[in-house]
Amino acid sequence: MNLDFDRCYRAVSSRDARFDGQFVTAVRTTGIYCRPSCPAITPKRANVTFLPTAAAAQQSGYRACRRCLPDAAPGSPQWNVRSDLAARAMRLISDGVVDRGGVDALSAALGYSTRQLTRTLTAELGAGPLALARAHRAHTARLLVETTPMPMADIAFAAGFASIRQFNDTVRDVFAATPSRMRADAARRVPDAPPAAGTVSLRLPYRPPLDRDWLGWFLSAHAAEGLERWSDGEYRRTLRLPHGVGVAVLRFADTHVRADLTLGDMRDLAPAVARVRHLLDLDADPQAVDDALRADPDLAPAVAATPGIRVPGCVDPGELLLRTMIGQQISVAAAATHTARLVAALGDPVADPYLTHAFPTPATVAARGHEVLTGPARRVDAIVAVAAALAEGTLTVHAGRTAADLRADLLAHRGIGVWTADYVVMRTLADPDVLLGTDLVLKQGARLLGVNPTDQSRWTPWRSYASMHLWRTALTAADRGRVDTRTARPVTEPEDIR
């Protein structure tokens, strides 16, 4: 990544929090690295260098600042805007692929040799896949040390370290403190609220502004009973994670999202955090998006009315694909009802006062979907066939795919049309540049604003966010009785059933 020194130094001098997570400041005289908004005295120009990732700083021998906690900054929006090898690798590393399967698993998922992958990441990000994964393990370890009473030995293995010694050495190298001292310091800070037993309570930071109303509508409208719940500004849902099933409870605050994560296996903490952040699009740069879209005079009123709109992602790409197919040609409310029926019949039970089941695995849907799914026979057959392809591995849907390859693979399956493919690509990859031009409700919003949704270039590279504004415009008008949007929910075009 090419970092302009003068631009970075201006951001550091002004303590601009918008740049937190986009680069780190390494100070040679102190041997520490900070986020751009660190409240400490701005170091002299001659004493600093700017690096793209915390892993690059750690690789160069720098320790994390204990005042600004640079590892706790929002993630870089580069991994969404960019679709090159480095960006796709970072998405998978954040989900714990290296911790679970090593660099070979990461290379296989991306379709590159280990040597080529390591060379590319080192050149682009200043650190190879092992160093990048080590930085994520250190962050996970800090969260567990500071937010749970777990024994240090358990934390070491839950965070992905091969030994307690490796855990201790890494924590000392990265944070310049022992794990015991970090826990003692954290105990002196009063949390927002005591977490429940077996629950990790975290703050997930984001770059303001954030359109809470849009995210709240999206999550509540799509919530399937038993799997998800929206109540009084709190979103609760089950998570199918690499080592078991967990539950996430999310609440919005002014600068962060409060997340209570109940996990069956603490090794799932890092993937759970990554997936929740992806679901809520917390790593976006909303000011950059809004500034670009405001340049269009037709769209500017919508942007001014709802700054900080987000493009919701997903917590499980396979679940997203199957649920999207279930919802073809019906309203979102009807799709939630059908999904709830499938979850109740085939999902794995969970112990939670409000939720009952996790979403069933693709293998279960492939084996028993015909017993539960209702609707046109062609749609049911298509859903079961796609579930079988997911279970067998002939169709892979994950954040490490390129948009073009994933879209082509989806369209090759019967029952997946252009709208479904684009919608799944947008939400799976957090792709900021997908315009859902065939969506009926989006067309309603475009007509209300007087814009042409078939113009595929006017909002590049932020067409996904433009789609959200057009949706929101139509839905707001529907609530006021100005337009009929078929129950005021985004629905698919008929050609999605083939």
Side-chain angles (χ1 to χ4, degrees), residues 289-300 303 459:
V289 176
D290 290 351
D291 288 347
L293 295 181
R294 264 195 297 262
D296 183 337
D298 294 327
L299 196 61
V303 178
W459 300 309

Side-chain angles (χ1 to χ4, degrees), residues 379-410:
R379 184 168 67 211
V380 173
D381 290 343
I383 294 169
V384 172
V386 167
L390 290 170
E392 295 163 1
T394 55
L395 174 61
T396 56
V397 185
H398 59 66
R401 303 290 307 275
T402 66
D405 289 347
L406 178 56
R407 188 176 189 271
D409 285 355
L410 291 171

Side-chain angles (χ1 to χ4, degrees), residues 98-109:
V98 174
D99 294 336
R100 295 192 295 274
V103 178
D104 289 343
L106 178 65
S107 302

Side-chain angles (χ1 to χ4, degrees), residues 240-254:
R240 186 174 291 281
L241 298 164
H243 300 98
V245 174
V247 173
V249 182
L250 311 175
R251 290 179 293 277
F252 296 104
D254 289 339

